[in-house]
Amino acid sequence: MFAARPAATRTLCSRRYTWPGRNWRRFYSAEAERSWRTRRWRQTAAVAAVSAGVCGYAIYNYDTAYLVAASVYRSSVAASATCQIAWDYYRNFPELPPEDDASISEGERRAILATRSAVHLRAAEKVKRALMKNGGVYIKLGQHVSAMQYVLPMEWCQTMQALQDQNTASSLEEIGRVIAADTGQTIEELFSAFDAEPIGVASLAQVHRAELRATGEEVAVKVQHPMVRTYSDIDIATVSVMFEFVHSVFPDFKFMWLSAEMKGSLPRELDFRNDKSNAEQVQWNFSAHPEIPLAVPRMVQATERVLIMEYVHGRRCDDLTYLRKHAIDPAEVSRAIGQVFAEMTYVHGFLHCDPHPGNLFVRSRPRGSAPHGRNFDLVLLDHGLYRQLSSRFRYEYAEMWHALMRGDQDRIKYWSRQLSGTDLYRLFAIILTGQNWSTIEAKSLSRTTAAAQFNLDELMEQQPDLFRKITEVLSSVPPVLLLVLKTNDLLRMVDQRLFADQPPLVQQHAQLRTWLQISTYCLRTIRDARAADIGYTPSTTAARVYRLALNRLGFWFSNVALSLYSWMLGVQDMFARWQALFRRVATA
């Protein structure tokens, strides 16, 4: 029916080819070689075409290509550091047995603590190197971590504190381009003199000393690093992803709130017009308090990335050499700082949330030359990060501190729940005060002279699940309270540095004075809130006046007692300093 095809030909997939017969091995090897070479050339051509396209795009869209490449690099640096420390903790971090575990000897326990400390330090160093390599927002993150002494081990906090002063300066050409783009004028057109070397370099900006050409006024010029805003979104997204990854590996790690807080506050910090408006608000708030030695630099001009302000002579508040040279008492500086931030927290409700020593300067002046009568001004710098505290929050916060001072466990539990939304009131009290629960429970915050600050490693030894509880507390509190906690911790750090060379008794009394100052403002806040309640309560005029008088009289007696106690501490400090001086003279 059908004619047979010749044996020498076959059909495969509609292609006719000649059957090689006996030479089929040689035929297939030659055919495979030709096919491999063809595929190879096609792949090479495709790669060359793609490469040419990428290069062409990069040439004609250099800025976009550079941004993509730099973003990938920065993300890879962060991802590499995160994976390394996650693996290090997973493989090398030993569990800490409970304190009452009799199967562990004291030597073995010390060895476990030493191993844990070594892993903490190793991980912190890796993260610090990654943060410094990326710069910008990452440095800001490290500075935030350095202030979290109530959450993280000391190895982390101490390692990250180096980031307060280790920031890379932008070149003068880069700074000039930012100034020209934002103000429409070059450096030469705006200023008759402009120091090439910055007087301060921070994570987001740097400050130069200059002289305005129009008026001859000496000014400080704060200029944002050119690429900070460009990278900020991708950096924050990368940090969020890294935190989520670590949380997936270690479920007890719940620090996503940290990236959320940065995401909310960073855009405001990157717009220097907010610095100007915040500084002017603070200046207005304290204009009615000439007895407080606060100075805020006058703002001259502000754009998104350039801020020109009055130049202030002075030094960091923790520069003890400068304080001694100008006969400025560190205790007075400490009281002034405490008064300023207590006024912001409890009275104005407008709180500066980044009071590290680089943002608190002291400027000497003749004693009696200003209404406050002191021989210095406290200069507040960097007004980018503020939080508005509601009246309700201030009242609840004051009640919480008042309960802590009295050691009233029931009220501590109640107000802790109101503020933080958690039932872990003891841990919340420890985080808030930086003191052991035994000190709080003994009603000794405002009376003891013991330096009873808590040690995180010791507490974790007593409670192995402490880290989980801490992260649970911090993930449940409102964002504004997180910044208040950070501010408290920074102020404690400033106090420690101010009294670093003082006798031990003076150092302990400095902490007591801080508690007493907080008590005074808490009592005032509670007094005013109760007076408002009395005013709104239906009653006769005579009954209302009587209750208002009792309310004010009761708090007046409390304030007098606190003032007398503070005066007594001052007398003891004076004798302690004299004793230390006599010892130095005797041993000289």
Side-chain angles (χ1 to χ4, degrees):
M1 186 174 177
F2 294 101
R5 291 189 178 181
T9 60
R10 298 288 188 271
T11 302
L12 182 63
C13 299
S14 302
R15 277 182 56 192
R16 290 178 62 85
Y17 64 90
T18 301
W19 180 252
R22 295 178 181 177
N23 299 322
W24 65 273
R25 292 180 183 276
R26 187 183 304 167
F27 173 82
Y28 272 121
S29 61
E31 184 74 14
E33 179 71 19
R34 284 193 298 272
S35 177
W36 178 83
R37 286 180 178 177
T38 302
R39 287 198 306 272
R40 183 73 172 176
W41 278 108
R42 285 175 180 172
Q43 291 171 0
T44 303
V47 170
V50 172
S51 301
V54 170
C55 291
Y57 179 83
I59 290 171
Y60 289 100
N61 300 273
Y62 174 78
D63 291 341
T64 304
Y66 177 81
L67 175 61
V68 171
S71 299
V72 170
Y73 171 76
R74 293 164 70 84
S75 300
S76 66
V77 169
S80 174
T82 303
C83 293
Q84 286 181 45
I85 65 169
W87 180 252
D88 198 2
Y89 273 107
Y90 179 75
R91 287 295 302 273
N92 303 315
F93 196 68
E95 289 291 331
L96 189 62
E99 192 176 17
D100 56 357
D101 189 347
S103 64
I104 302 295
S105 67
E106 187 61 30
E108 290 173 328
R109 187 179 297 278
R110 283 198 297 268
I112 291 173
L113 288 173
T115 303
R116 289 166 65 95
S117 177
V119 174
H120 284 322
L121 187 59
R122 193 163 58 239
E125 287 290 346
K126 287 178 183 176
V127 170
K128 186 185 80 170
R129 287 195 295 270
L131 298 181
M132 292 179 66
K133 190 178 290 186
N134 280 346
V137 172
Y138 288 94
I139 296 287
K140 194 75 176 176
L141 173 64
Q143 292 172 349
H144 197 118
V145 168
S146 72
M148 297 169 63
Q149 297 180 20
Y150 49 85
V151 179
L152 297 175
M154 287 307 298
E155 292 88 351
W156 277 88
C157 298
Q158 291 173 354
T159 301
M160 295 302 165
Q161 280 177 8
L163 297 177
Q164 297 288 353
D165 301 312
Q166 294 185 15
N167 297 289
T168 304
S170 299
S171 67
L172 186 60
E173 291 74 20
E174 292 173 321
I175 292 300
R177 286 195 291 269
V178 173
I179 292 175
D182 272 43
T183 66
Q185 294 178 282
T186 64
I187 290 178
E188 292 74 16
E189 291 170 341
L190 264 177
F191 308 103
S192 55
F194 190 92
D195 289 354
E197 288 296 320
I199 56 176
V201 182
S203 56
L204 304 182
Q206 62 192 55
V207 180
H208 291 259
R209 186 174 178 178
E211 186 177 290
L212 286 175
R213 185 173 293 280
T215 62
E217 180 184 1
E218 187 180 23
V219 293
V221 185
K222 180 180 177 181
V223 187
Q224 194 174 115
H225 296 306
M227 300 303 290
V228 166
R229 184 183 295 272
T230 305
Y231 292 136
S232 61
D233 290 339
I234 187 67
D235 286 347
I236 291 174
T238 302
V239 169
S240 300
V241 170
M242 294 302 103
F243 281 173
E244 291 286 354
F245 167 73
V246 176
H247 176 58
S248 67
V249 179
F250 303 104
D252 289 345
F253 185 95
K254 299 177 182 177
F255 282 92
M256 285 71 72
W257 55 267
L258 183 54
S259 58
E261 189 274 319
M262 287 185 64
K263 187 176 182 179
S265 62
L266 194 61
R268 280 177 280 188
E269 290 190 79
L270 289 175
D271 189 345
F272 290 169
R273 292 171 296 188
N274 290 324
D275 283 57
K276 183 174 185 291
S277 61
N278 290 339
E280 290 168 348
Q281 179 66 49
V282 171
Q283 210 163 19
W284 187 87
N285 287 346
F286 282 88
S287 60
H289 301 280
E291 74 282 0
I292 299 177
L294 178 67
V296 178
R298 183 177 58 85
M299 300 293 143
V300 178
Q301 180 183 345
T303 65
E304 275 192 286
R305 298 186 295 169
V306 179
L307 178 65
I308 304 174
M309 69 193 101
E310 167 195 3
Y311 183 83
V312 176
H313 294 268
R315 293 290 181 85
R316 288 168 51 124
C317 66
D318 61 348
D319 188 337
L320 300 179
T321 304
Y322 178 83
L323 297 185
R324 281 193 294 267
K325 179 181 177 182
H326 295 277
I328 299 173
D329 185 0
E332 284 197 39
V333 175
S334 174
R335 282 196 293 274
I337 293 172
Q339 189 176 14
V340 165
F341 281 88
E343 194 80 22
M344 286 180 171
T345 303
Y346 298 103
V347 181
H348 305 151
F350 191 61
L351 181 63
H352 186 298
C353 294
D354 198 17
H356 62 78
N359 288 338
L360 293 168
F361 268 43
V362 171
R363 176 177 61 187
S364 66
R365 66 182 307 151
R367 187 176 292 275
S369 61
H372 53 70
R374 295 180 174 92
N375 65 337
F376 68 90
D377 289 324
L378 180 66
V379 184
L380 188 59
L381 304 173
D382 194 357
H383 299 271
L385 185 58
Y386 275 77
R387 280 295 181 272
Q388 193 79 45
L389 310 180
S390 66
S391 299
R392 180 185 179 86
F393 176 87
R394 282 180 275 155
Y395 171 70
E396 291 177 352
Y397 191 63
E399 286 280 14
M400 179 68 187
W401 269 107
H402 189 47
L404 289 167
M405 296 297 176
R406 295 164 55 193
D408 188 334
Q409 188 164 336
D410 290 337
R411 295 190 67 79
I412 290 173
K413 185 176 181 179
Y414 174 79
W415 290 111
S416 176
R417 179 69 185 174
Q418 294 297 111
L419 267 178
S420 67
T422 176
D423 291 324
L424 298 171
Y425 65 96
R426 292 189 178 187
L427 186 56
F428 180 66
I430 290 171
I431 292 173
L432 188 58
T433 62
Q435 300 289 309
N436 286 321
W437 174 252
S438 57
T439 305
I440 300 169
E441 192 177 29
K443 307 178 182 181
S444 300
L445 271 186
S446 58
R447 289 193 297 275
T448 185
T449 57
Q453 293 193 351
F454 78 96
N455 181 286
L456 189 62
D457 284 331
E458 290 179 5
L459 286 179
M460 289 193 73
E461 188 174 355
Q462 299 165 11
Q463 304 179 50
D465 64 339
L466 180 66
F467 185 76
R468 178 189 61 78
K469 291 180 178 179
I470 289 176
T471 57
E472 183 180 332
V473 170
L474 295 179
S475 61
S476 64
V477 302
V480 67
L481 184 54
L482 290 172
L483 282 175
V484 172
L485 292 173
K486 173 195 169 187
T487 303
N488 283 349
D489 217 50
L490 285 170
L491 291 174
R492 281 197 287 267
M493 180 183 71
V494 170
D495 251 6
Q496 290 170 7
R497 295 186 180 183
L498 276 171
F499 293 95
D501 64 347
Q502 296 294 314
L505 185 64
V506 177
Q507 293 182 23
Q508 294 166 14
H509 285 180
Q511 181 68 78
L512 288 181
R513 280 206 179 82
T514 301
W515 303 135
L516 294 175
Q517 201 163 44
I518 291 173
S519 294
T520 301
Y521 275 91
C522 288
L523 288 171
R524 187 189 304 177
T525 303
I526 296 169
R527 179 200 68 192
D528 293 344
R530 291 181 183 176
D533 287 343
I534 293 171
Y536 285 114
T537 302
S539 63
T540 63
T541 302
R544 190 180 294 119
V545 169
Y546 175 72
R547 291 176 63 196
L548 286 171
L550 281 182
N551 177 60
R552 184 166 289 273
L553 191 62
F555 284 104
W556 180 81
F557 278 121
S558 298
N559 276 330
V560 168
L562 292 174
S563 299
L564 288 174
Y565 186 51
S566 181
W567 176 83
M568 183 188 71
L569 292 177
V571 172
Q572 292 179 1
D573 287 352
M574 182 176 63
F575 282 113
R577 289 194 183 96
W578 285 353
Q579 288 176 355
L581 178 62
F582 290 149
R583 288 195 196 99
R584 284 198 298 269
V585 171
T587 56

